[in-house]
Amino acid sequence: MTALLPEGFRDRLPPFADSAAALEARVLEAARLHGYERVDPPLAEFADGLEMRLKAGGLHDAVRFVDPVSQRTLAIRPDITAQVARIAATRMGHHPRPVRLSYAGSVLKLRASQLAPARETRQIGCELIGLDSVAAAQEVVAVAVDMLGAAEVRGASIDFTLPDLVSTLAAGPLPVAPDQVATLRDRLDAKDAGAVAALAPAYLPLIEAAGPFEPAMERLRMFDTTGALASRLDALTRIATALDGRVALTLDPTERHGFEYQTWLGFSLFADGSAREVGRGGTYTVVHESGAEEAATGFSLFADPLVDRVVSVDRRRLFLPLGTPAADGAAMRAQGWVTVAALDAGDTPEAQVCTHLWVADAPRAL
Amino acid sequence: MTALLPEGFRDRLPPFADSAAALEARVLEAARLHGYERVDPPLAEFADGLEMRLKAGGLHDAVRFVDPVSQRTLAIRPDITAQVARIAATRMGHHPRPVRLSYAGSVLKLRASQLAPARETRQIGCELIGLDSVAAAQEVVAVAVDMLGAAEVRGASIDFTLPDLVSTLAAGPLPVAPDQVATLRDRLDAKDAGAVAALAPAYLPLIEAAGPFEPAMERLRMFDTTGALASRLDALTRIATALDGRVALTLDPTERHGFEYQTWLGFSLFADGSAREVGRGGTYTVVHESGAEEAATGFSLFADPLVDRVVSVDRRRLFLPLGTPAADGAAMRAQGWVTVAALDAGDTPEAQVCTHLWVADAPRAL
């Protein structure tokens, strides 16, 4: 049998598609209750406009095509965050800050990775535009936790990072030559103690300051003898405290991968049963057309692993034998029943996976 | 200011995006209650596989690109019906018939028309695979009407057509040379009396047999002196009767445009306030890999005009002043309130468009 679909694409069949839609609606409802309002940007945009708002190389793996109308290159979005930033900076630029926005949609990549083989994925997220304070981070992290809760994930945990940690230290108490900062960051991210020892041995303790939140924070505080990190560490403590033990917390202060465009805070979301992170967020900067910059805090959920399971929705299906009056079916549907009408004499409740049969004007359990 | 988005693409902003999502969910729920289960095919597929299941020229306006993985051409779907037919014929080929499937998703076109300038549109639909009987058509039309009702459209109406009318007559009581049937069909579709009179004058009464359902049916019955159309006309009468006056009905027996792949029955759905039809459906044929053919009945809604309005959802927003305990907000959200927390001293309920303020452990209307 030939492959029906290209690698990295798939169909969701019953009952998974209904379940995924129901779970996604629950997840978005959690965001709505925190005041986040939906935006729905298009699947395709001008490639240059989209690229401007994506991190470096962001459009490298996007599907691009020439628009016969404008003669310009369009791209199918590989990410929605950049579109929401565009909306916040342009069409909603005049709204009072902070602006709370949520979104859900499909994104497409031309190439996938071995670890993440899907090329079409579902992205759900929230962006708080106008603030990157501790209070903003507390709210955004709480919303993320509520959304994971709405998806009923088990074993949710958050891994925090400090994306600008190395540049802060390198420009301050632990000087590093500017042309070596990127390499140092990279080697710290890789936990390559040998390379770090050769480059800047003072940074070695950072490799050890990763793991469960409390002990990692203690090591970081001991490392921060000059107090250069004090405000960041206090902020992390306040964010963690506000979570009040709702999820497990870890810290990986030098993790950089995936946080290339975050400012002082980054976090990854994990859940039992998913090999990779199920979400990622942090503080970042929205650039306006004028060049003005605006602080923002947000996160995206990589929603497929969260919604790919069958939730125990009401599975009652009522079989209406041939000749059942239409009004009877309508009355039962108005009560929330799923009705499946026989359309010819051969139809059976069994073939239609029905749980109930309409007999003598009432549903009888099968 | 430069155009932010390419022609035919747009953002949905608050409160429209939330409204559209809510309305779409209601519309899909109406289908679910009739036993239609969701399928969710991917945005992109192999172009040749998709084209095989689309009507002639169907991929002409699709976005296509070369897949670096398979080195084959992929297309972004311009239509979801063809994908659902693929699923029904392959992965769900072994399910007992009829199979009831629903779907909702975005479709993309490279070019749009002046009448329908959008290039990304939302398609929602239902397909009943395995039957094209009168009972099947009655159900499918009833589901469509319920879905329009769920969207609270005003002035819903259905325009029926008989896509194979001309070929049935031409092969029977009113012979037409085979090489002229297509031209005749085309001229009848255009209501071009002069051309029809020159080609096949016996068909002229069909031009008059269009309009409100009952009188049009009467004219058709008078025209059908041989009884060649009797079964079709009886079927139409039974479908109309089952609708029991729920929507206005019209008949345009020779309408062909948009029904190129329908078999004996086609219908268009209209609503007040929408210049074009808001949906289209009918009976058709699903082709299996083996070449076997299977009858089917279904319809698609062109959902944007249906969901593009602000529904009166609960607009209560409760402002939580700085320092409100997190537990208070959580408790109110658990009661269904949307809470908007102040994140700095400058935040006001007015700027956040809140209707209520949290004062002394209770919401106070503003």
Side-chain angles (χ1 to χ4, degrees):
Chain A
M1 186 163 177
T2 55
L4 287 168
L5 290 176
E7 227 177 285
F9 294 91
R10 59 166 176 163
D11 299 312
R12 274 204 178 87
L13 301 187
F16 294 94
D18 269 314
S19 263
L23 274 167
E24 180 172 311
R26 288 189 207 168
V27 168
L28 283 160
E29 174 66 4
R32 195 184 71 84
L33 290 177
H34 280 274
Y36 287 73
E37 294 191 287
R38 269 299 260 288
V39 287
D40 194 9
L43 277 176
E45 293 207 14
F46 290 123
D48 50 6
L50 197 56
E51 185 145 44
M52 193 185 83
R53 297 184 191 278
L54 283 168
K55 46 203 163 202
L59 267 193
H60 175 66
D61 276 339
V63 171
R64 271 179 279 203
F65 57 99
V66 174
D67 175 12
V69 178
S70 64
Q71 299 295 329
R72 290 171 62 186
T73 301
L74 307 189
I76 306 288
R77 61 185 180 200
D79 170 64
I80 302 179
T81 313
Q83 296 186 297
V84 176
R86 170 181 58 70
I87 290 173
T90 56
R91 298 188 57 191
M92 297 187 70
H94 63 289
H95 279 238
R97 267 37 185 171
V99 169
R100 289 172 173 87
L101 301 175
S102 68
Y103 54 88
S106 297
V107 296
L108 214 62
K109 285 186 178 128
L110 210 48
R111 286 176 196 81
S113 66
Q114 276 207 305
L115 270 170
R119 294 198 278 172
E120 176 180 351
T121 55
R122 195 80 186 161
Q123 187 181 355
I124 303 179
C126 288
E127 309 298 332
L128 176 73
I129 316 285
L131 283 176
D132 67 352
S133 61
V134 173
Q138 284 173 334
E139 170 168 307
V140 161
V141 167
V143 174
V145 170
D146 277 2
M147 287 168 83
L148 294 179
E152 291 171 34
V153 306
R154 278 182 299 188
S157 70
I158 304 180
D159 187 34
F160 289 104
T161 185
L162 294 168
D164 68 357
L165 175 80
V166 173
S167 40
T168 302
L169 293 171
L174 299 177
V176 174
D179 61 346
Q180 298 211 304
V181 171
T183 312
L184 174 60
R185 227 158 28 198
D186 181 58
R187 293 297 85 206
L188 279 165
D189 193 4
K191 312 271 183 288
D192 178 349
V196 172
L199 261 168
Y203 286 78
L204 267 174
L206 286 175
I207 292 184
E208 294 302 312
F213 189 77
E214 291 300 340
M217 282 293 282
E218 251 174 71
R219 283 193 291 271
L220 260 187
R221 288 204 186 271
M222 279 166 55
F223 165 79
D224 184 37
T225 48
T226 67
L229 303 179
S231 68
R232 282 173 178 73
L233 299 182
D234 289 347
L236 277 180
T237 299
R238 288 167 60 200
I239 296 167
T241 304
L243 280 167
D244 201 19
R246 294 179 62 200
V247 292
L249 303 180
T250 56
L251 178 65
D252 188 347
T254 58
E255 167 90 21
R256 281 286 298 175
H257 183 69
F259 297 100
E260 293 80 2
Y261 75 125
Q262 257 77 19
T263 52
W264 73 270
L265 178 71
F267 59 88
S268 301
L269 302 164
F270 292 90
D272 280 358
S274 186
R276 300 179 61 235
E277 67 268 47
V278 295
R280 201 185 291 142
T283 56
Y284 62 99
T285 304
V286 171
V287 181
H288 289 247
E289 305 268 294
S290 65
E293 299 195 339
E294 185 175 20
T297 311
F299 67 93
S300 289
L301 300 178
F302 314 127
D304 298 84
L306 301 178
V307 302
D308 267 342
R309 63 173 204 283
V310 178
V311 285
S312 54
V313 291
D314 192 348
R315 298 283 292 165
R316 290 181 310 171
R317 283 163 68 91
L318 173 60
F319 189 80
L320 306 177
L322 215 53
T324 303
D328 291 2
M332 294 309 286
R333 287 190 296 276
Q335 292 179 33
W337 282 84
V338 170
T339 64
V340 183
L343 296 179
D344 63 32
D347 262 0
T348 65
E350 293 73 27
Q352 294 296 332
V353 204
C354 286
T355 57
H356 291 72
L357 176 66
W358 187 245
V359 187
D361 291 349
R364 177 198 293 169
L366 289 171
Chain B
M1 188 161 175
T2 55
L4 287 168
L5 289 175
E7 231 177 282
F9 293 92
R10 61 169 175 160
D11 299 311
R12 274 205 178 88
L13 301 188
F16 294 93
D18 269 313
S19 262
L23 273 166
E24 180 172 310
R26 287 189 209 167
V27 167
L28 284 159
E29 173 66 6
R32 195 184 70 84
L33 290 178
H34 280 275
Y36 288 73
E37 295 191 287
R38 271 294 263 289
V39 287
D40 194 8
L43 278 177
E45 291 207 12
F46 290 123
D48 50 6
L50 197 55
E51 187 145 42
M52 194 185 84
R53 297 184 191 277
L54 283 169
K55 44 202 165 208
L59 267 194
H60 175 66
D61 277 339
V63 171
R64 271 180 277 205
F65 57 97
V66 174
D67 175 11
V69 178
S70 64
Q71 299 294 330
R72 290 172 62 186
T73 301
L74 307 190
I76 306 288
R77 61 184 179 200
D79 170 64
I80 302 179
T81 313
Q83 297 185 297
V84 176
R86 171 183 56 72
I87 290 173
T90 56
R91 298 189 57 193
M92 297 186 70
H94 63 289
H95 280 239
R97 265 42 182 167
V99 169
R100 290 172 172 87
L101 300 175
S102 68
Y103 54 88
S106 297
V107 295
L108 214 62
K109 283 185 178 127
L110 211 46
R111 286 176 196 81
S113 66
Q114 275 205 305
L115 271 171
R119 294 198 278 172
E120 176 180 350
T121 55
R122 195 80 185 160
Q123 187 181 356
I124 302 180
C126 287
E127 309 299 331
L128 177 72
I129 314 286
L131 283 176
D132 66 353
S133 62
V134 173
Q138 285 174 333
E139 168 167 308
V140 161
V141 167
V143 174
V145 170
D146 277 1
M147 287 168 84
L148 293 180
E152 290 171 34
V153 306
R154 279 182 300 187
S157 70
I158 304 180
D159 187 35
F160 290 103
T161 187
L162 293 168
D164 69 357
L165 175 80
V166 174
S167 42
T168 302
L169 292 171
L174 299 176
V176 175
D179 62 347
Q180 297 211 303
V181 171
T183 312
L184 175 59
R185 226 160 25 197
D186 181 56
R187 293 299 84 206
L188 280 165
D189 193 6
K191 312 271 183 285
D192 179 349
V196 172
L199 261 166
Y203 286 79
L204 267 175
L206 286 176
I207 292 185
E208 295 302 312
F213 189 77
E214 291 300 341
M217 282 293 284
E218 252 175 68
R219 284 193 290 272
L220 260 186
R221 288 205 186 270
M222 280 166 54
F223 165 78
D224 184 37
T225 48
T226 66
L229 303 179
S231 68
R232 281 173 179 74
L233 300 183
D234 290 347
L236 277 181
T237 299
R238 288 168 60 200
I239 295 166
T241 305
L243 280 167
D244 201 19
R246 294 180 62 202
V247 292
L249 303 180
T250 57
L251 179 64
D252 188 349
T254 58
E255 167 91 20
R256 280 286 297 175
H257 182 69
F259 297 100
E260 293 81 0
Y261 75 123
Q262 257 77 18
T263 52
W264 72 271
L265 178 72
F267 60 88
S268 301
L269 302 163
F270 292 89
D272 279 357
S274 186
R276 299 179 61 236
E277 68 269 44
V278 296
R280 201 186 289 144
T283 56
Y284 62 98
T285 303
V286 171
V287 182
H288 288 245
E289 305 270 294
S290 65
E293 299 195 341
E294 185 174 20
T297 311
F299 66 94
S300 289
L301 300 177
F302 315 127
D304 298 84
L306 301 178
V307 302
D308 267 343
R309 64 175 203 283
V310 178
V311 286
S312 54
V313 290
D314 193 347
R315 298 284 291 165
R316 290 180 311 171
R317 284 164 66 91
L318 173 61
F319 189 80
L320 306 176
L322 215 54
T324 303
D328 291 2
M332 294 309 286
R333 286 190 295 278
Q335 291 179 36
W337 283 83
V338 170
T339 64
V340 183
L343 296 178
D344 62 33
D347 262 1
T348 65
E350 292 75 27
Q352 294 296 330
V353 204
C354 286
T355 57
H356 291 73
L357 176 66
W358 187 247
V359 187
D361 291 351
R364 176 198 293 169
L366 289 171

